[in-house]
Amino acid sequence: MSSFTHTPPSLDGNVFTADSLLQAYLKRHSHKLDCTSATQSPLQQPSIATTTKNFDYRQLENELRNLGHLAATTLPNLATIAEKYPPQHIAYDAWQNRVDEIETHPAWKELLRHAAESGIVGDGYHYRSTQYSRYARLVQFAKLYLFDAQCAVVTCPMAMTDGAAKLMETQEGLVSRFREVYEGLISKNPKIAITAGQHMTETRGGSDVSGATETVALHENNDDYKLYGFKWFTSAIDAQVAFTLARIAPKGSTVDDVLNMTQEQKKKIPLSLFFMYIREPETNKLNGITVYRLKNKLGTKALPTAELKLHGASATLVSPVGRGIACISPMLTVTRTWNAVCAVSKMRRIIHLVRDYSTKREAFGKKLGVLPAHVQTLARMSVEYEGCFHLVMDCAKRIGFTEVPDSSSEELRQNQELVRILTPLAKMYTGKVAVPLISEGLECIGGQGYMEDSGIPAILRDAQVLPVWEGTTNVQALDVLRVLKKHPQAIMTLMNRVQRLATKGHSLHQTPTCPTLDDMLKSIRETLLKSLKELSQYMEQMKQSRSSDFVEAGARGFAFSLSRVYILALMLEHAFENTEYERDLHAAHSFVRMHTPLVNVEQVDESRRKVDQILAMGEFRSKL
Ligand SMILES: Cc1cc2nc3c(=O)[nH]c(=O)nc-3n(C[C@H](O)[C@H](O)[C@H](O)COP(=O)(O)OP(=O)(O)OC[C@H]3O[C@@H](n4cnc5c(N)ncnc54)[C@H](O)[C@@H]3O)c2cc1C
């Protein structure tokens, strides 16, 4: 046997101290930019007012250093144990009583405790009234980004918990009505903290919630209803409360009427939003719920995802009748942002591990970290990750800006519009990039990356859910079209911002300029301006088109193009406002090289659509 021993990739005890992008981004935002001069002329150089701060970076640094240590040590260890001992469904007790107990391992419970204590939900709420104020969401999501990568996806219930708290804030009177629940959702004290579920997906389909939901609500008293239906995916069933959608049965209906309604009858009734306890608070028995089974999944192994039958579950109507979809949307804004942050967290983790491994592993007599093809692969991964990081953090911080608005109502309006469009873009783009990027990272670690006990396969498995749940890639892309149709101003605001960044003055810091850098900057600016023109032209084509097929077939191309353009603008902004102009400009320029043309939408006219239909369905066409 060889005397050689492998040195495994390691996190060196802290994922925050090693993360220069996160540190630079937060430092940058801790300063208040004095941009008064920029309003006079876009080419004048704004300056950082050294005395004014948005928040004290050093205080935040201390918090993140502690969390960075936890995320590099305790969390991955707990995650490994929790995945090794996945949740169990105990349907009956020894005496034939239906109990539907869900047993989770203590490691999972520990992860939930750490999640509450670390403030990955609570800080978004409690920090609003601290020095972080409108940056509370940025801080919260920075913490989530550190926390998520190897935590057995305990962030799934936490995402829904945050979404539920946000939903409660946006529905008038809901917080005061269920104050204890709200305080439990945002609590950092594990003794009080509770989690929430979002029970939307049913057997007929999760993408088409409006059309496919079969659950019916039968009126009892006031806002009290009983729910009858089947929820096909519910993570995590160990939560205490849930928000769900159902159709209110016509007045005078009986349970039998409800059970015998056809889907055609149901579809005519718009959805309403309900709040429910999973277990009756008084008895701790399941609230009119039968757990059919826990799902057997590719990844997210420790997460108890159940199939549930609702047979008279008590629930409270919390939206105006028939306004369920509109009222649940703030919850989805939050959970989709979580999805995007978690995608970037996992990308960062694999890059961290690959970089470390590249300093240790040798091939052909050299460290991997200097082998040109390996360097090229890792550089592309890094640029892709950086782009995703900027997209996600921009979305995250703007949620905070809408919650603690500046004095200007115009700024608030713009941030609301940006959040509306950035949420589907960030969810879609990062979810789609994460899987191949992490797969590439696994490959960079060679055969050992494929070994289960290296911990790396779990990152890939768990990443695969990111483009699926919370709405698939195509569903997000169609959502972008919906925003374009209903709120065209949102896309205009985004494009105006790109335009401003493309024509903005030079770096805020003293930076050397040289012909190469100037050429790069020029090329980035030109790419942005050209891409804006192309996007406008395509949007005009969509407007003129009478074919919804043309518009829908281009949805993905359009949404990815818009994402790429915005990402490049954000990378340029970072280069201007960060202290490493040359390095950051190179990153932005690499992004251009990797993604040219940024705007790339296939034009699917009628004849092309017919060809695609043949190519897509092949020998199965006759079955359509
Ligand atoms: C591990 C896990 C946990 C989950 N937990 C929860 C949970 O807690 N709560 C919850 O509510 N849901 C949950 N889900 C469900 C998840 O949100 C749905 O699976 C997802 O939204 C997709 O819905 P679907 O499975 O019905 O797929 P479908 O809607 O059947 O979609 C199948 C395919 O069709 C495509 N498609 C659908 N409509 C269109 C269209 N108009 N144009 C083009 N393409 C289209 C989709 O992109 C997809 O590729 C969970 C899922 C997983 C995997």
Side-chain angles (χ1 to χ4, degrees):
M1 194 173 166
S2 158
S3 59
F4 173 79
T5 53
H6 260 286
T7 314
S10 94
L11 298 171
D12 220 6
N14 202 307
V15 290
F16 171 68
T17 50
D19 193 329
S20 49
L21 179 57
L22 178 64
Q23 291 174 36
Y25 193 84
L26 293 174
K27 254 184 225 161
R28 198 190 113 193
H29 283 81
S30 69
H31 295 294
K32 191 164 269 175
L33 296 183
D34 173 11
C35 290
T36 43
S37 57
T39 54
Q40 292 156 12
S41 155
L43 293 177
Q44 256 182 310
Q45 188 167 315
S47 62
I48 290 179
T50 45
T51 46
T52 39
K53 285 182 175 174
N54 289 321
F55 53 85
D56 178 11
Y57 176 71
R58 270 171 311 165
Q59 186 183 326
L60 178 60
E61 196 178 25
N62 284 337
E63 284 189 50
L64 296 186
R65 194 179 294 117
N66 291 339
L67 182 57
H69 176 64
L70 184 83
T73 53
T74 311
L75 298 185
N77 293 338
L78 287 172
T80 305
I81 301 169
E83 297 228 318
K84 196 166 167 190
Y85 302 99
Q88 301 293 321
H89 172 211
I90 316 292
Y92 292 93
D93 71 7
W95 310 100
Q96 291 178 301
N97 298 307
R98 183 90 199 195
V99 287
D100 283 328
E101 292 296 339
I102 305 296
E103 278 185 6
T104 55
H105 192 270
W108 173 257
K109 296 188 175 84
E110 270 292 282
L111 286 162
L112 281 170
R113 180 178 72 78
H114 283 300
E117 278 179 348
S118 64
I120 57 173
V121 174
D123 285 354
Y125 298 81
H126 296 293
Y127 276 11
R128 288 177 195 162
S129 54
T130 67
Q131 63 139 344
Y132 298 113
S133 184
R134 62 205 310 257
Y135 290 89
R137 284 287 185 184
L138 179 61
V139 171
Q140 174 205 350
F141 283 114
K143 287 190 172 181
L144 171 63
Y145 160 84
L146 292 174
F147 190 101
D148 172 73
Q150 287 173 292
C151 73
V153 199
V154 77
T155 41
C156 165
M158 301 315 286
M160 295 188 285
T161 300
D162 190 359
K166 173 77 182 175
L167 186 160
M168 291 183 81
E169 286 188 343
T170 48
Q171 283 298 104
E172 211 186 321
L174 211 52
V175 170
S176 53
R177 195 164 169 192
F178 295 101
R179 181 155 293 282
E180 210 178 316
V181 170
Y182 173 75
E183 280 169 5
L185 294 173
I186 64 170
S187 178
K188 292 172 74 171
N189 176 354
K191 289 194 182 125
I192 302 170
I194 60 168
T195 56
Q198 151 194 320
H199 298 175
M200 293 177 70
T201 306
E202 300 196 356
T203 35
R204 279 180 192 266
S207 304
D208 178 17
V209 172
S210 314
T213 299
E214 294 178 282
T215 300
V216 175
L218 194 59
H219 189 232
E220 296 259 294
N221 306 302
N222 304 321
D223 288 339
D224 297 337
Y225 287 76
K226 295 280 186 199
L227 303 186
Y228 297 85
F230 196 88
K231 297 291 174 182
W232 181 231
F233 284 86
T234 56
S235 315
I237 190 56
D238 56 347
Q240 285 74 24
V241 297
F243 283 94
T244 193
L245 296 165
R247 305 181 195 275
I248 296 178
K251 259 195 184 137
S253 299
T254 63
V255 175
D256 278 348
D257 295 336
V258 164
L259 297 179
N260 291 320
M261 274 171 90
T262 64
Q263 185 58 10
E264 283 317 303
Q265 290 170 319
K266 290 179 184 175
K267 268 175 95 167
K268 293 186 184 133
I269 308 171
L271 291 163
S272 299
L273 178 63
F274 293 85
F275 166 81
M276 60 185 278
Y277 290 95
I278 302 289
R279 291 179 178 273
E280 292 164 0
E282 303 80 30
T283 62
N284 204 33
K285 284 193 175 151
L286 279 172
N287 166 22
I289 294 173
T290 300
V291 179
Y292 267 45
R293 63 177 200 131
L294 289 181
K295 285 189 176 286
N296 184 2
K297 297 167 287 176
L298 167 69
T300 67
K301 296 279 187 194
L303 173 71
T305 305
E307 296 168 12
L308 303 181
K309 182 172 179 185
L310 306 178
H311 45 87
S314 301
T316 307
L317 176 68
V318 291
S319 72
V321 172
R323 298 277 302 147
I325 293 281
C327 291
I328 206 168
S329 83
M331 185 170 195
L332 304 186
T333 297
V334 169
T335 51
R336 286 176 178 176
T337 306
W338 273 67
N339 199 90
V341 176
C342 294
V344 181
S345 173
K346 288 178 171 57
M347 291 182 214
R348 165 66 201 174
R349 180 60 52 91
I350 198 79
I351 286 174
H352 187 156
L353 292 169
V354 171
R355 283 180 180 163
D356 181 68
Y357 196 62
S358 304
T359 66
K360 295 169 175 167
R361 179 72 168 163
E362 288 186 6
F364 300 95
K366 287 184 178 160
K367 295 260 170 70
L368 295 185
V370 298
L371 295 174
H374 184 81
V375 169
Q376 169 70 5
T377 304
L378 189 47
R380 288 178 73 91
M381 285 167 62
S382 302
V383 169
E384 196 67 272
Y385 142 75
E386 277 186 39
C388 288
F389 177 96
H390 287 295
L391 177 63
V392 162
M393 288 301 168
D394 194 72
C395 178
K397 83 177 175 205
R398 282 176 203 287
I399 294 179
F401 292 174
T402 62
E403 290 169 340
V404 186
D406 210 355
S407 51
S408 137
S409 58
E410 175 55 19
E411 200 232 46
L412 173 63
R413 188 188 60 77
Q414 287 191 9
N415 280 318
Q416 285 168 336
E417 281 167 355
L418 285 170
V419 168
R420 190 169 273 141
I421 182 67
L422 286 174
T423 313
L425 289 183
K427 155 67 173 87
M428 177 199 71
Y429 193 90
T430 59
K432 204 64 190 164
V433 167
V435 180
L437 190 147
I438 293 164
S439 167
E440 187 79 84
L442 181 152
E443 189 181 332
C444 287
I445 300 177
Q448 284 302 103
Y450 194 73
M451 293 304 109
E452 186 58 39
D453 44 3
S454 72
I456 290 160
I459 306 178
L460 180 60
R461 273 202 303 269
D462 291 344
Q464 182 59 72
V465 82
L466 297 169
V468 177
W469 65 13
E470 298 301 336
T472 57
T473 307
N474 280 344
V475 167
Q476 301 302 316
L478 292 171
D479 211 34
V480 171
L481 291 188
R482 209 163 298 126
V483 175
L484 179 63
K485 199 168 166 198
K486 283 192 169 169
H487 308 277
Q489 197 51 39
I491 297 198
M492 291 325 295
T493 303
L494 185 128
M495 289 172 66
N496 288 341
R497 193 161 137 66
V498 173
Q499 169 91 27
R500 269 201 311 279
L501 291 170
T503 51
K504 190 176 164 173
H506 220 300
S507 169
L508 298 178
H509 302 275
Q510 293 301 321
T511 49
T513 54
C514 67
T516 329
L517 286 182
D518 291 346
D519 284 351
M520 266 197 296
L521 177 60
K522 187 163 170 264
S523 137
I524 293 168
R525 287 187 197 282
E526 283 171 1
T527 305
L528 284 172
L529 295 174
K530 179 169 165 279
S531 302
L532 282 178
K533 233 186 232 164
E534 289 167 354
L535 282 172
S536 300
Q537 280 163 1
Y538 183 72
M539 277 157 46
E540 192 50 39
Q541 263 180 288
M542 280 199 279
K543 219 163 144 190
Q544 301 300 330
S545 170
R546 287 175 201 282
S547 156
S548 62
D549 285 355
F550 170 85
V551 175
E552 279 193 30
R556 200 189 261 230
F558 174 67
F560 272 89
S561 300
L562 197 58
S563 306
R564 285 189 289 264
V565 173
Y566 194 58
I567 286 173
L568 179 61
L570 293 175
M571 290 178 90
L572 181 62
E573 182 185 41
H574 187 67
F576 281 159
E577 295 184 4
N578 188 25
T579 49
E580 290 193 62
Y581 178 65
E582 185 172 348
R583 186 233 161 266
D584 295 335
L585 203 65
H586 272 291
H589 196 244
S590 295
F591 187 85
V592 176
R593 280 192 283 126
M594 281 161 57
H595 290 292
T596 299
L598 258 51
V599 177
N600 188 2
V601 193
E602 282 197 73
Q603 312 263 333
V604 184
D605 59 15
E606 189 49 27
S607 62
R608 175 64 203 281
R609 207 184 64 75
K610 283 186 183 147
V611 172
D612 278 352
Q613 188 72 63
I614 295 167
L615 296 176
M617 292 307 292
E619 60 280 8
F620 285 76
R621 246 170 36 251
S622 60
K623 294 189 178 172
L624 283 172

